[in-house]
Amino acid sequence: MRNITKLFRTLGALMIILTAATTFAMENFGYKEPDAKIVKLVDAPNPPQLSISPQGGKAILVEYSTQLTLEDLAEPKAKVAGLSILKRYNVKQRSYFVKGLEVSDLKTNESKTIKLPPEAKMGFPIWSPDGTKFAAVQYKAGGSSVWLFDLSKDSGKQLSPPRVNSVLLGPFWWSDDSKYIFVPLWNEKRGQLPESPVIPETPEISEASGRVSQVRTYQDLIKTSYDEKVFEYYATSQLYKINVKSGKTTKFGTPGLINYVATSPDGRYSVARILETPFSRNVPAGLFAKRYELWDSKGKLIKVLAHIPVGEEIPIEGVSKGMRSLFWQEKRPATLCWVEALDEGDPNIKAEFRDIMFAHDAPFDKPVREIIKLPMRYSGLDTLDKQDLGLIWDYDRDTKWIQAREIDMGKTNIASECRIIFSRNYNDIYNDKGDLLYYTKPNGERAAILENDEWIYLTGSGATPDGYRPFLRKFSLKTLETKDIFVSGLDKFEDFTGFADPKRKLIVTRREDPETPPNYFIRAVKNNVALEPEAITNFTSPNKELAEVKKELIKYERNDGVPLSGTLYYPLGYKPGKRYPTIVWAYPREYTSKEIAGQVRSTTNKYTRIGGSSILFFLLRGYAVLHNAEIPIVGDPLTANDTFIEQMTAGAEAAVNKLIEIGIAQRGKIAVAGHSYGAFMVANLLAHTDLFDAGIARSGAYNRTLTPFGFQGERRTFWQAQNIYNTMSPFSYADKIKTPILMIHGKDDPNAGTYPMQSERMFAAIKGHGGVARLVVLPHEGHGYEARESILHVLSEQFEWLDKHVKNK
């Protein structure tokens, strides 16, 4: 008996050891989950979105999910030409799916649920121009298809064959008359993809021809002849024109690597952009050589308009030579417009004019017309609801100045003689007058609203020193006078969603406040003033405790007088007078002046919704968070980074001092965290200061010599500014980083410059010098983190790291 008892004791001890070993293994190698309260928040559904019919009166309430699973992310992919293609679906990788649709009558507030295909993964619904129906894609392994939904019915029908190919094009689009849908399909007779050769057909070869080619560090490029075959296999499509009434399908054009198609307002012509071989091994598909073709109403080639060379030689922050930014002019039957560079696309070349806009009228047998030469780079056109009237925008990269001129597109305009309607520094949000509102007529004609040949409508975020106050206003093109129809209050955040009727007598807004989640409201407009709102929806918070989160806008100054701000979130259950472990979450941004850098870019009148891997989850763990703390880098865009370290340090020091001054934080209990360029900032702060006690750096780049042709706002190359590249690289100072740092990176990060190798090398450097660090590489994840398993694991890692090195230090 004694031996048996001894045996059982020995076995019991062994089981304890094995259990402990298993627990250790699961903790370190399995996916972690935080406590149930956090999991509940992560799993909370997104608030539905409202999509209003182009003609008003009806709206679709869209329930969607942005939370994927590891199984979703592990879908077999073809990663070529800078693209991530889902092989079984033949579409680009997706990050959300629609789960439910409900059609509402905005006048009666009656609604009906639309029945979707069983277990459907739907795309976002797109209205027909006449507002009588909508369509959406059902994404399905083996082949996706376009579905048509009629407002008179409560279910839809499959319209296209299950071969949608949205690798280079959108999955479908409507004709202006709402009678047809254009769909790119892959060839049903294309067969199986050739297997990758066991023995490579050729070495991987790149060649320089003696011409300057300064390109950013792109990922997943074509490297072999087999990659070329893979790209052509998945990207080649044949356009079809489908009659939505009869379902009849007709081929439109010929098969090819088509990545842009637009049809003239009268339907007689189309312009198409088609990628050409040989494929580049240095840039992604969007910069491949291409040609522009003009087609007739049946998709038959009329003529080739232009050949555009591969974009390997486009200067940093420059544009391509030749034809670009093509579009059909609204309110004319068939006038094709485009822009060409007058400075060889190089912003470093001094030029009186940088761009020129041309127009060519059907039947294209007369000379091309010049519309205007622009002194700065073309950045867009707003077509107004009057023939030939438009606002053309141009932008200067050195001063960050953007402006809009009024032009007559029916003649040649002299830029210096055109009235400037809007102008500001691009980052000057206080003086942003808003975006023009457009209206789509039942015949598909789309133009910016213009009332009585004078008044346009503008909507914007309404940035003020006290936070954001979204607005809807009218603006006179004659007197430049404004009339506010609606402006959000400071106690609630309410922004304009759309017009509920063609006469613009009813508007829809989306309103929320710190205690109430977003809901939609309808307001009547009388004498150009929005009246009291009536609720359309009544969503309640799935997590009541978030309504108790206290937050405030705090303002402070850098040591050189630059005004700074951020939103301070207090921990759940906050007790006045008590100091808490605190996190500073920030992202450095470049500005040309102190005044613009000091503008407030936060607001406190919104509902606190926490999702994904947000740093705000720490509020439920007893931490305070200074969210979006401003870390401005001020100066001439060419040389601002010469003082990046000093300015970053000054901004962070000012934030820390303010947090201590107001009594929420204490030294020895403060962490810093950031994502992407924010992660770059975190590593630099830990290398150059002793302000923080731990750091979290997600998806960052730490060695700027690996991005030698520019990064973020830096346009000098490594060879032009070697000292700056080295000084700004925290990798250069890895031996100085002794503060604990948690680094997280998606293994499949496709973002230019943030290769996962950046985190791997940084971790090795810190470890090699005796630093305290942890590196978490997430399988199948990209620059952001999408799978539920990954998100929960990231949160757990972050909680454990800061609890150990800050909260319980």
Side-chain angles (χ1 to χ4, degrees):
M1 287 292 292
R2 289 180 180 177
N3 289 337
I4 294 175
T5 302
K6 186 176 180 180
L7 176 62
F8 270 98
R9 285 176 180 170
T10 304
L11 288 172
L14 181 61
M15 288 299 294
I16 292 171
I17 294 170
L18 288 172
T19 301
T22 303
T23 302
F24 176 82
M26 288 296 292
E27 179 185 359
N28 286 273
F29 303 109
Y31 278 86
K32 303 177 182 179
E33 285 194 7
D35 61 77
K37 181 184 290 187
I38 302 295
V39 174
K40 181 183 176 184
L41 279 173
V42 170
D43 290 340
N46 295 313
Q49 289 189 10
L50 196 72
S51 174
I52 303 172
S53 160
Q55 307 310 316
K58 304 284 186 181
I60 308 169
L61 202 61
V62 183
E63 181 186 354
Y64 66 102
S65 174
T66 53
Q67 189 181 90
L68 305 179
T69 66
L70 272 179
E71 184 179 0
D72 292 325
L73 295 187
E75 270 288 329
K77 302 178 188 72
K79 295 185 176 183
V80 288
L83 303 171
S84 181
I85 304 166
L86 301 180
K87 291 182 176 181
R88 297 197 302 157
Y89 293 76
N90 211 120
V91 300
K92 283 186 293 188
Q93 188 171 350
R94 293 185 57 78
S95 59
Y96 75 91
F97 293 105
V98 170
K99 298 168 60 179
L101 298 174
E102 189 176 286
V103 174
S104 297
D105 188 310
L106 296 176
K107 295 180 180 179
T108 66
N109 209 17
E110 295 179 351
S111 62
K112 65 178 179 180
T113 300
I114 301 297
K115 296 177 183 177
L116 299 179
E119 300 180 3
K121 292 183 176 181
M122 305 296 293
F124 203 86
I126 305 296
W127 286 98
S128 61
D130 64 8
T132 62
K133 45 195 168 288
F134 61 90
V137 176
Q138 180 189 14
Y139 292 97
K140 195 173 183 180
S144 304
S145 55
V146 176
W147 281 62
L148 180 69
F149 298 86
D150 192 304
L151 294 187
S152 63
K153 301 174 183 178
D154 61 2
S155 62
K157 65 177 181 179
Q158 183 176 324
L159 184 66
S160 80
R163 303 199 316 275
V164 168
N165 183 351
S166 58
V167 171
L168 296 179
L169 286 165
F172 70 91
W173 59 93
W174 287 92
S175 63
D176 285 349
D177 60 12
S178 301
K179 295 179 180 179
Y180 300 91
I181 282 181
F182 293 89
V183 185
L185 302 178
W186 45 266
N187 187 349
E188 60 183 335
K189 297 181 180 179
R190 67 180 177 177
Q192 296 296 315
L193 175 68
E195 290 188 11
S196 176
V198 176
I199 300 175
E201 298 173 345
T202 64
E204 295 181 14
I205 300 172
S206 297
E207 185 175 355
S209 61
R211 300 174 66 90
V212 175
S213 177
Q214 300 179 348
V215 298
R216 294 289 174 103
T217 48
Y218 299 108
Q219 300 192 50
D220 300 326
L221 301 178
I222 287 178
K223 298 178 180 178
T224 67
S225 58
Y226 179 73
D227 287 345
E228 294 178 346
K229 295 175 183 177
V230 171
F231 175 65
E232 288 192 282
Y233 180 85
Y234 287 110
T236 301
S237 64
Q238 166 68 63
L239 276 180
Y240 282 83
K241 185 177 182 181
I242 304 178
N243 186 306
V244 297
K245 186 176 182 179
S246 67
K248 181 182 178 182
T249 63
T250 305
K251 286 185 178 181
F252 191 74
T254 56
L257 298 170
I258 309 165
N259 76 337
Y260 171 79
V261 177
T263 301
S264 61
D266 64 5
R268 292 190 299 153
Y269 303 95
S270 291
V271 63
R273 184 173 61 215
I274 302 167
L275 305 185
E276 295 185 319
T277 57
F279 301 131
S280 170
R281 302 196 177 188
N282 298 306
V283 294
L287 292 173
F288 283 0
K290 57 188 72 76
R291 68 181 181 274
Y292 287 102
E293 294 184 350
L294 182 67
W295 297 350
D296 65 15
S297 60
K298 295 183 179 180
K300 184 178 180 181
L301 177 66
I302 297 175
K303 63 178 178 178
V304 174
L305 298 171
H307 288 274
I308 308 299
V310 65
E312 294 181 8
E313 298 174 14
I314 295 176
I316 295 172
E317 295 187 347
V319 297
S320 61
K321 298 178 183 179
M323 181 179 279
R324 75 177 201 274
S325 302
L326 282 75
F327 65 92
W328 294 100
Q329 184 181 336
E330 293 286 355
K331 305 191 79 67
R332 278 180 174 258
T335 296
L336 183 64
C337 304
W338 68 92
V339 175
E340 294 186 20
L342 295 174
D343 59 357
E344 299 183 21
D346 188 348
N348 297 303
I349 294 177
K350 292 184 178 180
E352 181 182 4
F353 298 104
R354 297 221 172 265
D355 279 337
I356 183 171
M357 177 175 280
F358 292 110
H360 204 185
D361 303 306
F364 312 105
D365 55 355
K366 295 181 180 179
V368 170
R369 295 189 289 111
E370 175 189 325
I371 293 180
I372 190 172
K373 291 188 180 79
L374 295 170
M376 301 190 297
R377 186 70 68 207
Y378 170 77
S379 61
L381 176 82
D382 284 304
T383 303
L384 302 180
D385 195 15
K386 180 180 180 181
Q387 182 168 312
D388 296 332
L389 183 60
L391 298 181
I392 193 167
W393 297 79
D394 58 345
Y395 167 79
D396 181 67
R397 68 130 190 202
D398 294 330
T399 62
K400 304 298 182 185
W401 198 257
I402 189 168
Q403 58 192 17
R405 292 178 172 83
E406 184 180 69
I407 62 170
D408 181 345
M409 297 184 67
K411 68 176 187 179
T412 299
N413 299 262
I414 306 300
S416 60
E417 298 176 0
C418 296
R419 276 203 315 156
I420 294 178
I421 305 299
F422 303 114
S423 63
R424 65 180 175 94
N425 184 290
Y426 182 78
N427 291 315
D428 183 1
I429 56 176
Y430 286 178
N431 287 304
D432 184 355
K433 303 300 183 184
D435 298 322
L436 278 73
L437 284 171
Y438 278 65
Y439 168 55
T440 301
K441 298 181 180 180
N443 64 358
E445 182 183 292
R446 186 174 183 272
I449 299 167
L450 181 66
E451 285 184 354
N452 303 321
D453 288 345
E454 178 180 5
W455 297 93
I456 60 176
Y457 282 76
L458 300 172
T459 184
S461 60
T464 75
D466 298 314
Y468 289 110
R469 300 186 66 188
F471 61 81
L472 171 66
R473 63 173 56 126
K474 294 174 71 171
F475 180 91
S476 170
L477 292 178
K478 293 181 180 179
T479 66
L480 308 187
E481 171 193 2
T482 62
K483 292 181 180 180
D484 286 340
I485 297 172
F486 160 80
V487 179
S488 175
L490 284 173
D491 59 330
K492 293 179 172 60
F493 184 91
E494 187 171 4
D495 59 346
F496 173 78
T497 300
F499 290 106
D501 72 323
K503 296 182 179 180
R504 297 180 285 281
K505 299 299 182 183
L506 295 171
I507 65 171
V508 176
T509 62
R510 186 175 185 261
R511 188 174 72 180
E512 59 187 291
D513 61 48
E515 298 180 354
T516 312
N519 275 287
Y520 291 95
F521 294 79
I522 194 164
R523 289 174 176 263
V525 177
K526 188 175 183 179
N527 298 324
N528 292 318
V529 176
L531 304 182
E532 288 300 305
E534 296 181 15
I536 298 174
T537 62
N538 185 28
F539 304 128
T540 57
S541 173
N543 302 286
K544 301 290 186 182
E545 66 268 25
L546 293 182
E548 301 173 13
V549 171
K550 179 186 176 183
K551 55 189 169 183
E552 67 173 312
L553 176 67
I554 63 171
K555 299 179 181 180
Y556 47 101
E557 281 192 0
R558 212 165 69 176
N559 56 15
D560 58 356
V562 175
L564 303 175
S565 62
T567 302
L568 176 60
Y569 286 82
Y570 292 82
L572 203 62
Y574 165 73
K575 295 179 180 179
K578 182 180 178 181
R579 293 182 185 267
Y580 291 84
T582 304
I583 305 167
V584 176
W585 175 269
Y587 187 98
R589 299 182 190 278
E590 297 99 349
Y591 302 97
T592 55
S593 72
K594 293 181 178 181
E595 293 74 22
I596 294 173
Q599 294 181 352
V600 173
R601 292 172 171 81
S602 300
T603 196
T604 58
N605 54 354
K606 299 182 76 172
Y607 181 73
T608 302
R609 183 179 184 277
I610 308 176
S613 53
S614 170
I615 202 71
L616 295 180
F617 278 108
F618 274 94
L619 301 177
L620 284 75
R621 303 274 299 191
Y623 291 76
V625 175
L626 179 57
H627 197 250
N628 293 336
E630 288 292 334
I631 304 289
I633 309 301
V634 184
D636 184 313
L638 182 63
T639 58
N641 278 336
D642 291 359
T643 55
F644 177 89
I645 300 299
E646 294 84 353
Q647 294 198 57
M648 172 200 65
T649 299
E653 186 174 27
V656 168
N657 290 341
K658 183 66 175 180
L659 292 168
I660 293 170
E661 174 195 323
I662 63 179
I664 187 66
Q666 66 185 67
R667 296 196 187 276
K669 298 281 187 180
I670 305 175
V672 63
H675 189 95
S676 194
Y677 206 51
F680 171 74
M681 172 205 71
V682 168
N684 264 313
L685 284 170
L686 300 190
H688 296 284
T689 78
D690 58 0
L691 293 168
F692 302 99
D693 303 279
I696 298 174
R698 305 188 329 201
S699 299
Y702 310 103
N703 184 350
R704 285 305 170 192
T705 67
L706 297 178
T707 56
F709 293 112
F711 58 90
Q712 207 70 7
E714 180 58 63
R715 61 175 182 260
R716 294 170 293 186
T717 71
F718 168 75
W719 296 273
Q720 294 170 324
Q722 289 190 31
N723 182 55
I724 300 304
Y725 273 68
N726 284 316
T727 301
M728 287 183 68
S729 297
F731 182 84
S732 301
Y733 304 91
D735 60 325
K736 308 296 185 186
I737 298 179
K738 302 305 179 184
T739 302
I741 181 171
L742 170 65
M743 290 186 289
I744 303 173
H745 216 122
K747 189 174 180 63
D748 293 342
D749 188 346
N751 193 51
T754 56
Y755 291 102
M757 179 181 67
Q758 289 271 8
S759 289
E760 294 166 354
R761 296 291 184 267
M762 187 66 181
F763 173 77
I766 295 172
K767 181 180 179 181
H769 288 90
V772 179
R774 182 176 174 90
L775 172 61
V776 179
V777 178
L778 302 168
H780 306 297
E781 292 289 357
H783 194 59
Y785 318 133
E786 298 178 307
R788 179 179 185 272
E789 297 91 334
S790 300
I791 290 168
L792 295 175
H793 187 87
V794 166
L795 294 175
S796 297
E797 291 279 358
Q798 293 179 157
F799 294 154
E800 292 173 10
W801 192 254
L802 294 195
D803 282 354
K804 178 180 180 180
H805 296 290
V806 178
K807 187 177 184 181
N808 303 321
K809 185 175 69 170

